[in-house]
Amino acid sequence: MKGVFAAAWLIARKDFTIEARSREIIATAVFFAVACVLVFSFSLVDEGRAPDNVAAGVLWIGISFAGTLSLARLFERERAHDTLRTLLLAPVERPAVYLGKLLAVVMLMAAVGAVLLPFTGFLFDQAVLGAAPGLAAVILLGIIGYAAVGTLFAAMLGRSRSRDVLLPVLLYPMSVPVLIAGVRATSALLDAAGPDWAAARLWIGVLAAFDVVFLTLALWTFEAVMEE
Amino acid sequence: MNSRLETRGLSRRYGRQRALIDVSLTCNAGEAIALVGPNGAGKSTLLSLLSTLARPTAGEILYDGRSASAWGPSLRGRIGSLGHEVSLYPELSARENLMFFGQLFGTPDVTDRVARALRLSGLESRADSPTGTFSRGMRQRLAIERALLHAPDILLFDEPFTGLDEPAAEALIARLAAARIEGAAIVFSSHDFEHAERVATRVAMLSAGRLTSLGGLDGAGSLRERYRAAPR
Amino acid sequence: MGSIALLVAAAIMFAAAPWMIMRAPQESTMGLIQKIFYFHVPAAFTMFVSAFVSGIAGAVYLVRRSPRAERITAAAGELVVVFGAIVLLTGPIWARKAWGVWWQWDARLTITLVMWLIFVAFLLLRKYGGPGSEPLSAAVALFGMANVPFVYWSVNIWRTVHPTTNVVPSLGPGMREAFWWCVAAYLLLYVALLAARAKLEAQRVALDELHFEIGAD
């Protein structure tokens, strides 16, 4: 019998293999996120200048929209040929399937984040390089929290009618703390007067706590929720 | 001596709909039960419940005398399941699909077994083509191999003959007979009476969620006749 | 029977409430509008109680698949939306008078709005998700409940304009009776509604069974 992490890694690796061949999700997610950021920029920029502290918000909107898209597409793949069914039949604790998909989603969203961060920094003239490690940590922790809830919901919604519209409807209110903490931490690190590490640490704490609580809840409820 | 598979008063509801009502049957090692009935009779639901993908709303299922929760995830290593959909990744090749599922199911000597499976299914020449390019029949043959790869002793197949041409159907009949001899318990549903009666040792008739009859076969041609004669 | 008695009791309390509220002294700066407080705060309190009831019932349902837990999750979830609507409608009326704006991004308002949205999503899921979305909605209720401290925490660190919790102890003696009377009335109404709704759900299921029995045989 396979261990939970080994099985999760197998599943994630399978998703990476498929994605490497078609590059469909990563391309559409990145492009969509960039388009989002541009649209928001057009609406916010006035007389050639953006209001202060807008970059962080726009970045996180882009990441979360791209995240919802990635989640939907990733699970649509499993649903199209009913492969999720066979994954759940594996002789391993069912949360392994959750972990594998979570890893795949996190990697996809991290790729989007890696593109969006310099892009928004460029557009809004933000000092991204100076606080790069801090920003990377914030984005990663935020992505994990968002994906922890999103993966569970997307997996559960696989069989539901109206699943396309229900995922954002369920996920956005639920991930409000991630978005608030993510934006505030990013904003603190991009502060014109130099990165505000104290504030950033506070918000990183909120993100980490959210990640732990919701990852645990998701792992605990996954089996119960995936059983028909 | 416990039956390999036993259901007691098994019921399953989906909202307003009652898919299964009070179904009790047993299937022992070496037996093959054919589930027969019109669409919506509950055949797929019963197979779903037996493979632990769905939970009953009433009743219980025992595997060698113990419940699924008593066994834990290792029980699924003994189950070989075939659903309505082929459940293969179209972007991956036949070999990659088998290797992935084989490894996930903890199959020992997985590379050798995958090679053997590709040979047995006649798909060796297309082993490295994406399964998305396969015909329905080819995918069905591959799905059957995937279900048998980890040498399960409980086979739960939903319409296994779908899309198979005559040689492939003969091959499947032979595989299932061999599995039976090795002590597997088989429960399968089929609309294909001619082939089904060559696999089955007993027939369970389902109608509107209820088990209306469960008995042995007596001679070729009798399955279709029995089905036609059965009350609805 | 029990729910009817509760409903009658709640009705009596609500009938008496306006008298109690009018008897309470007027707050010096706000005038009459402040009396919305007697509707707004108990409604908010009840809304959060309901969110916890729904979340806990959801957890029980996920573990035990008990139909009773399912009914309570559903009924309590609906009531979060009902009482939340009262809070979100009465709050801005007060806010306009007290602070000059309809809305402020502070902890309490934001968490109320977010909780309300989570449970509106809960209802949408139950309505449009098709059969078999009960375990899913139970998880949503559970996650919503777990989210309460996080939303509160994050918005609290962010902004605070809302009157702080000491509003209750600092109420003048005449006000305190009216306030607690209204809280009791709301909670009584809540329990009555919850019981009635859960019972309605049980009857709906029983009707389905009957409908099926008759149809099949």
Side-chain angles (χ1 to χ4, degrees):
Chain A
M1 224 181 78
K2 271 226 142 6
V4 169
F5 290 108
W9 174 242
L10 256 180
I11 292 170
R13 207 184 62 186
K14 176 264 304 172
D15 275 318
F16 297 148
T17 308
I18 295 177
E19 191 53 33
R21 282 190 199 160
S22 65
R23 283 177 298 279
E24 177 217 338
I25 300 180
I26 188 107
T28 46
V30 167
F31 185 79
F32 180 66
V34 164
C36 269
V37 167
L38 279 173
V39 168
F40 276 98
S41 313
F42 296 149
S43 60
L44 292 166
V45 166
D46 186 25
E47 289 175 14
R49 279 211 72 245
D52 294 333
N53 293 325
V54 145
V58 170
L59 172 66
W60 279 93
I61 290 175
I63 291 177
S64 62
F65 280 9
T68 314
L69 195 135
S70 306
L71 276 165
R73 289 294 304 126
L74 205 65
F75 277 95
E76 184 57 33
R77 263 191 199 149
E78 301 286 353
R79 207 199 57 81
H81 297 271
D82 209 17
T83 42
L84 191 57
R85 177 187 187 277
T86 311
L87 291 181
L88 291 170
L89 282 170
V92 70
E93 313 287 350
R94 280 177 175 156
V97 176
Y98 168 82
L99 280 176
K101 296 312 262 183
L102 177 67
L103 188 56
V105 172
V106 167
M107 294 303 290
L108 276 170
M109 288 181 75
V112 170
V115 168
L116 276 192
L117 182 58
F119 183 61
T120 39
F122 168 74
L123 278 184
F124 292 93
D125 194 26
Q126 300 285 317
V128 165
L129 277 173
L135 286 167
V138 167
I139 291 177
L140 191 61
L141 283 174
I143 285 174
I144 289 173
Y146 190 82
V149 178
T151 304
L152 184 73
F153 286 179
M156 295 193 290
L157 282 169
R159 281 185 302 273
S160 297
R161 297 160 16 201
S162 316
R163 57 182 162 273
D164 294 322
V165 75
L166 280 174
L167 179 62
V169 161
L170 288 172
L171 185 54
Y172 285 124
M174 202 64 79
S175 56
V176 158
V178 170
L179 294 171
I180 292 177
V183 169
R184 304 281 13 123
T186 307
S187 207
L189 289 173
L190 292 176
D191 198 343
D196 182 354
W197 292 107
R201 259 199 300 275
L202 184 60
W203 289 111
I204 285 175
V206 175
L207 280 175
F210 185 94
D211 290 356
V212 166
V213 167
F214 282 85
L215 258 174
T216 309
L217 273 178
L219 284 166
W220 184 66
T221 56
F222 185 73
E223 167 127 37
V225 135
M226 290 309 289
E227 247 179 4
E228 276 176 58
Chain B
M1 174 63 193
N2 284 315
S3 313
R4 184 59 52 82
L5 268 183
E6 182 184 347
T7 76
R8 293 180 184 169
L10 201 61
S11 299
R12 173 69 214 202
R13 262 182 25 164
Y14 288 103
R16 283 204 152 200
Q17 226 194 337
R18 287 216 260 169
L20 274 186
I21 305 167
D22 199 26
V23 171
S24 301
L25 55 75
T26 61
C27 187
N28 292 308
E31 278 197 300
I33 296 183
L35 299 177
V36 155
N39 288 331
K43 309 189 293 293
S44 296
T45 307
L46 178 56
L47 288 168
S48 237
L49 287 167
L50 288 172
S51 48
T52 75
L53 284 172
R55 221 198 263 207
T57 38
E60 57 179 347
I61 305 176
L62 298 174
Y63 304 83
D64 283 336
R66 296 161 71 199
S67 71
S69 41
W71 279 101
S74 64
L75 174 67
R76 297 196 281 271
R78 295 178 50 194
I79 294 176
S81 170
L82 193 68
H84 262 297
E85 303 287 329
V86 287
S87 198
L88 293 167
Y89 294 101
E91 302 93 346
L92 296 178
S93 73
R95 193 192 308 275
E96 284 169 332
N97 265 291
L98 287 178
M99 283 298 290
F100 168 67
F101 286 111
Q103 285 170 323
L104 188 65
F105 278 68
T107 312
D109 308 314
V110 66
T111 327
D112 293 334
R113 290 219 197 162
V114 166
R116 184 168 159 266
L118 287 167
R119 225 179 25 250
L120 284 172
S121 61
L123 294 167
E124 226 174 352
S125 56
R126 298 288 298 274
D128 298 302
S129 310
T131 57
T133 62
F134 285 14
S135 67
R136 178 67 165 92
M138 290 163 76
R139 277 184 264 147
Q140 186 76 357
R141 276 146 58 193
L142 191 63
I144 290 167
E145 290 307 324
R146 189 266 311 280
L148 296 170
L149 200 62
H150 53 288
D153 60 1
I154 299 173
L155 303 184
L156 304 168
F157 285 11
D158 200 342
E159 308 283 348
F161 293 101
T162 312
L164 296 183
D165 57 16
E166 196 51 38
E170 288 291 332
L172 177 59
I173 292 171
R175 292 292 291 283
L176 291 177
R180 261 205 318 123
I181 291 167
E182 277 163 33
I186 305 176
V187 179
F188 71 105
S189 73
S190 190
H191 285 299
D192 186 340
F193 298 131
E194 279 71 36
H195 291 123
E197 66 197 358
R198 291 173 56 199
V199 176
T201 55
R202 281 196 293 157
V203 173
M205 295 228 204
L206 286 168
S207 176
R210 286 186 210 273
L211 183 65
T212 54
S213 84
L214 175 61
L217 288 169
D218 32 57
S222 68
L223 182 50
R224 185 175 286 279
E225 287 161 8
R226 279 173 64 174
Y227 180 68
R228 289 234 181 91
R232 296 298 159 89
Chain C
M1 265 305 115
S3 16
I4 296 185
L6 278 174
L7 272 170
V8 168
I12 293 174
M13 290 193 80
F14 268 96
W19 179 72
M20 296 216 58
I21 292 173
M22 288 319 287
R23 249 188 26 153
Q26 280 216 10
E27 205 253 350
S28 45
T29 45
M30 293 249 352
L32 194 63
I33 296 287
Q34 182 267 345
K35 297 207 184 237
I36 274 198
F37 176 86
Y38 298 106
F39 291 97
H40 176 81
V41 177
F45 186 63
T46 311
M47 175 192 168
F48 280 93
V49 165
S50 198
F52 273 81
V53 167
S54 188
I56 292 171
V60 169
Y61 174 69
L62 284 173
V63 168
R64 292 218 217 113
R65 294 280 165 135
S66 126
R68 192 149 173 272
E70 214 294 292
R71 294 197 289 269
I72 294 178
T73 311
E78 263 178 33
L79 289 170
V80 171
V81 175
V82 168
F83 284 95
I86 296 176
V87 176
L88 291 169
L89 285 170
T90 54
I93 297 176
W94 181 4
R96 184 74 181 149
K97 177 81 171 155
W99 312 321
V101 288
W102 293 107
W103 186 261
Q104 277 281 4
W105 288 105
D106 83 322
R108 279 214 203 104
L109 282 169
T110 310
I111 193 185
T112 307
L113 181 61
V114 170
M115 285 307 289
W116 190 75
L117 286 172
I118 289 176
F119 280 90
V120 167
F122 170 88
L123 289 182
L124 286 171
L125 171 63
R126 290 184 71 88
K127 186 159 166 81
Y128 296 110
S133 45
E134 288 88 16
L136 177 42
S137 60
V140 170
L142 175 61
F143 276 48
M145 179 185 90
N147 225 344
V148 170
F150 283 100
V151 181
Y152 193 80
W153 187 17
S154 31
V155 185
N156 221 7
I157 310 177
W158 182 28
R159 300 269 298 265
T160 310
V161 174
H162 210 105
T164 51
T165 353
N166 357 338
V167 172
V168 173
S170 76
L171 280 175
M175 294 186 192
R176 209 169 297 163
E177 282 99 35
F179 176 73
W180 287 112
W181 179 269
C182 288
V183 170
Y186 264 83
L187 284 176
L188 212 56
L189 177 66
Y190 172 70
V191 172
L193 284 174
L194 185 68
R197 182 67 183 90
K199 187 141 163 272
L200 198 66
E201 190 63 21
Q203 286 174 336
R204 186 186 67 80
V205 168
L207 194 66
D208 280 351
E209 300 263 328
L210 208 59
H211 169 88
F212 188 87
E213 295 280 358
I214 295 171
D217 299 310

